[in-house]
């Protein structure tokens, strides 16, 4: 401006110089945003060395200590696994530490732990560490079953739709050759597009643990009702009252996510998950319809078996892959919103508080009063990027004096 006033620059030269400065600042801002997305992706997708250490030590214990290979549950308790008079919970996880926190919090807050049955489903590589942990850390009188997916009769019989979908997901993701480095080096795309592509590389989208809930009726053919828990939740209340809820013939008891005091977390409608610019979505759904959450769900398996929910789920997953992911980005909630459409019974939000993995402004006092808290988002409580004020709600269910915890230097504060 001084140069213009002193007639060193004319108006035209000034305009060119100003445009160059603005362009440079925009480029720096873009680069900073992309670097932030990349750092978040790396931090949330990597396996912390403490968790790797825990898995390796437990696998070694499983191979050398007969006590770590105990049948779970013991033979006399096996009938309870198919007894509908018990409270059946299902947890699918390949994270031993996270599973242990869910189990501990569930049992410790139960008023009738002797009626609790927790079915832990894991993958083949995590089965030995998971069995070793729960064999050496029994939660009596609660009953714990640990089973690899490959141990289920239904899974071993033949083609499994969820695995076929995962293989196709993998082929779609393979389009991003060069991984995260190649994605962030693309100078022509907007930061939010780059963030979406980085998200598709997240291991959770190709984890069978993230998809298996859609096959609960086949996995548990003898049960009529279960509560499904994600491994990034913490139970803070007795959950037995969930069995007293009248589902009115609906299949999925869930908390809605479009109403609540926290407008950042509780403002999700179908338009937030589905692409309504695509005619297949626009013709079948209402963008303003309230969404609901996975993480803590009551599933009436008896009612589910009378529907085509699972077939609908896989049909839409297939359509999304055919369309080049133009119906929604990768994830299990969008096809879940479609498949369970019309089959959801709304439950009290007390039973499921969301956002502890991305809403930094969540207060400790507010979260402490919820029945179940959910660390959905990147800032998982076992990662260094967890929110420090909320992590104690999760960490208090870890025994800081346990030899495996101390041996792997896992933080409990």
């Amino acid at each position: 401006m001084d140069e213009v006033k002193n007639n060193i620059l004319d108006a035209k030269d000034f305009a060119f110089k100003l445009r160059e400065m603005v362009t440079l600042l925009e480029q720096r801002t873009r680069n900073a945003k992309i670097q932030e997305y990349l750092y978040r992706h790396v931090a949330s997708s990597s396996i912390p060395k403490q968790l790797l250490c825990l898995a390796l030590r437990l696998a070694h214990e499983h191979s050398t200590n007969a006590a770590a290979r105990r049948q779970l549950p013991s033979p006399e308790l096996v009938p309870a696994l198919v007894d509908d008079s018990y409270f059946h919970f299902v947890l699918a996880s390949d994270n031993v530490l996270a599973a242990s926190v869910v189990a501990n919090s569930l049992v410790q807050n139960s008023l009738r732990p002797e009626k609790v049955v927790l079915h832990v489903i894991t993958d083949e590589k995590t089965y030995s560490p998971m069995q070793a942990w729960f064999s050496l850390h029994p939660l009596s009188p609660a009953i714990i079953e640990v089973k690899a997916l490959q141990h289920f009769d239904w899974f071993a019989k033949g083609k499994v739709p969820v695995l076929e979908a995962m293989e196709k997901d993998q082929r779609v993701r393979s389009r991003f050759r060069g991984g995260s480095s190649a994605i962030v080096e693309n100078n022509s795309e907007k930061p939010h597009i780059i963030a979406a592509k980085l998200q598709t590389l997240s291991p959770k989208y190709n984890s069978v643990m993230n998809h298996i809930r859609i096959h609960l009726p086949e996995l548990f053919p003898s049960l009529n009702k279960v509560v499904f828990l994600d491994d990034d939740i913490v139970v803070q209340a007795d959950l037995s009252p969930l069995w007293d809820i009248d589902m009115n013939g609906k299949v999925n008891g869930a908390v809605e996510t479009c109403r609540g005091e926290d407008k950042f977390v509780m403002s999700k409608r179908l338009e937030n998950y589905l692409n309504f610019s695509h005619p297949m979505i626009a013709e079948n759904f209402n963008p303003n319809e309230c969404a609901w959450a996975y993480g803590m769900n009551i599933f009436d398996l008896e009612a589910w078996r009378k529907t085509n929910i699972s077939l609908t789920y896989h049909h839409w997953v297939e359509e999304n892959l055919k369309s080049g992911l133009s119906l929604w980005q990768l994830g299990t909630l969008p096809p879940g919103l479609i498949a369970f459409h019309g089959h959801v019974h709304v439950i009290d939000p007390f039973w499921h508080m969301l956002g502890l993995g991305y809403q930094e402004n969540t207060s400790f006092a507010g979260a402490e009063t919820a029945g179940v808290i959910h660390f959905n988002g990147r800032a998982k409580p076992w990662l260094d990027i967890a929110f420090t004020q909320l992590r104690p709600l999760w960490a208090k269910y870890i025994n800081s004096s346990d030899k495996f915890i101390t041996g792997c230097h896992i933080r409990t504060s």
Side-chain angles (χ1 to χ4, degrees):
M1 294 298 292
D2 286 339
E3 290 174 354
V4 172
K5 289 178 181 178
N6 296 325
N7 295 320
I8 298 174
L9 277 179
D10 60 22
K12 184 177 180 180
D13 289 337
F14 172 72
F16 276 119
K17 191 168 185 177
L18 185 61
R19 187 172 66 180
E20 288 175 0
M21 293 173 64
V22 171
T23 301
L24 179 61
L25 288 172
E26 287 178 344
Q27 185 61 40
R28 287 178 177 173
T29 302
R30 178 185 183 278
N31 290 341
K33 284 183 178 179
I34 291 172
Q35 284 299 312
E36 180 187 2
Y37 292 142
L38 178 60
Y39 294 152
R40 285 181 178 178
H41 165 70
V42 172
S44 63
S45 301
S46 303
I47 301 175
K49 62 182 180 181
Q50 295 91 338
L51 297 192
L52 183 59
C53 166
L54 181 63
L56 291 174
R57 288 194 174 213
L58 287 168
H60 178 263
E61 195 77 14
H62 188 271
S63 65
T64 58
N65 182 358
R69 300 190 298 272
R70 288 192 305 110
Q71 178 182 338
L72 294 175
S74 55
E76 67 274 13
L77 296 175
V78 168
L81 300 179
V82 294
D83 187 340
D84 262 322
S85 68
Y86 286 79
F87 305 125
H88 291 269
F89 298 88
V90 179
L91 167 65
S93 177
D94 57 3
N95 183 330
V96 176
L97 184 65
S100 74
V101 169
V102 175
N104 287 340
S105 64
L106 170 67
V107 176
Q108 288 180 31
N109 287 290
S110 175
L111 297 180
R112 290 182 284 173
E114 72 282 356
K115 298 295 290 183
V116 169
V117 178
L118 176 61
H119 305 266
V120 181
I121 304 174
T122 191
D123 57 19
E124 200 167 15
K125 66 178 174 56
T126 315
Y127 173 71
S128 294
M130 193 75 77
Q131 185 190 29
W133 177 270
F134 285 105
S135 293
L136 299 172
H137 302 83
L139 293 173
S140 300
I143 299 168
I144 310 294
E145 177 190 33
V146 177
K147 215 168 180 180
L149 197 53
Q150 289 75 10
H151 297 160
F152 285 88
D153 293 338
W154 168 81
F155 187 89
K157 283 180 180 178
K159 293 174 66 176
V160 180
V162 69
L163 294 184
E164 293 180 356
M166 285 172 53
E167 290 170 2
K168 291 173 182 175
D169 276 3
Q170 185 63 43
R171 288 198 291 273
V172 171
R173 298 196 306 160
S174 68
R175 294 182 306 181
F176 306 126
R177 297 183 185 278
S180 57
S181 298
I183 291 174
V184 299
E185 287 172 3
N186 189 326
N187 293 319
S188 63
E189 292 185 315
K190 295 180 180 179
H192 75 275
I193 299 297
I194 289 176
K197 287 187 174 182
L198 285 173
Q199 193 174 14
T200 66
L201 297 180
S202 175
K204 75 175 185 176
Y205 289 121
N206 201 42
S207 168
V208 68
M209 298 297 102
N210 204 40
H211 291 269
I212 201 59
R213 79 189 90 207
I214 200 63
H215 291 296
L216 287 174
E218 295 95 334
L219 294 173
F220 299 98
S222 301
L223 297 179
N224 291 329
K225 183 178 285 189
V226 299
V227 169
F228 191 94
L229 304 172
D230 279 2
D231 66 1
D232 54 355
I233 64 99
V234 176
V235 178
Q236 301 186 133
D238 175 46
L239 298 188
S240 62
L242 295 175
W243 269 259
D244 297 328
I245 294 175
D246 183 357
M247 300 272 283
N248 296 314
K250 303 294 186 181
V251 173
N252 178 5
V255 167
E256 284 187 320
T257 54
C258 67
R259 301 179 183 87
E261 294 181 7
D262 190 333
K263 300 303 180 186
F264 180 50
V265 176
M266 303 299 282
S267 60
K268 305 295 190 300
R269 299 182 182 275
L270 293 192
E271 64 182 354
N272 298 108
Y273 299 99
L274 304 175
N275 177 19
F276 278 87
S277 65
H278 196 290
M280 284 187 68
I281 297 296
E283 291 168 7
N284 288 282
F285 305 101
N286 177 1
N288 295 316
E289 188 172 329
C290 196
W292 47 267
Y294 272 146
M296 199 297 299
N297 302 84
I298 314 164
F299 288 118
D300 186 331
L301 301 185
E302 188 175 21
W304 189 338
R305 294 184 186 102
K306 300 173 184 176
T307 72
N308 60 353
I309 287 172
S310 300
L311 290 175
T312 301
Y313 179 94
H314 291 295
H315 167 76
W316 280 92
V317 167
E318 184 73 25
E319 291 297 324
N320 191 40
L321 292 169
K322 286 179 182 177
S323 69
L325 306 183
S326 63
L327 305 184
W328 66 83
Q329 294 178 4
L330 289 174
T332 56
L333 182 56
L337 292 171
I338 293 174
F340 287 104
H341 193 255
H343 298 285
V344 176
H345 177 77
V346 178
I347 62 175
D348 193 299
F350 164 79
W351 294 113
H352 190 185
M353 181 178 184
L354 295 131
L356 277 71
Y358 66 89
Q359 173 54 294
E360 190 172 7
N361 295 326
T362 302
S363 70
F364 181 93
E368 199 175 26
T369 61
V372 173
I373 52 175
H374 193 176
F375 289 84
N376 58 312
R378 296 182 186 274
K380 301 300 184 191
W382 54 84
L383 298 176
D384 289 338
I385 59 173
F387 301 133
T388 54
Q389 81 277 16
L390 300 176
R391 194 174 189 276
L393 293 167
W394 179 84
K396 71 179 184 178
Y397 292 101
I398 301 174
N399 180 2
S400 59
S401 62
D402 183 87
K403 70 173 185 177
F404 295 102
I405 299 299
T406 57
C408 290
H409 306 290
I410 294 172
R411 290 171 48 208
T412 57
S413 61

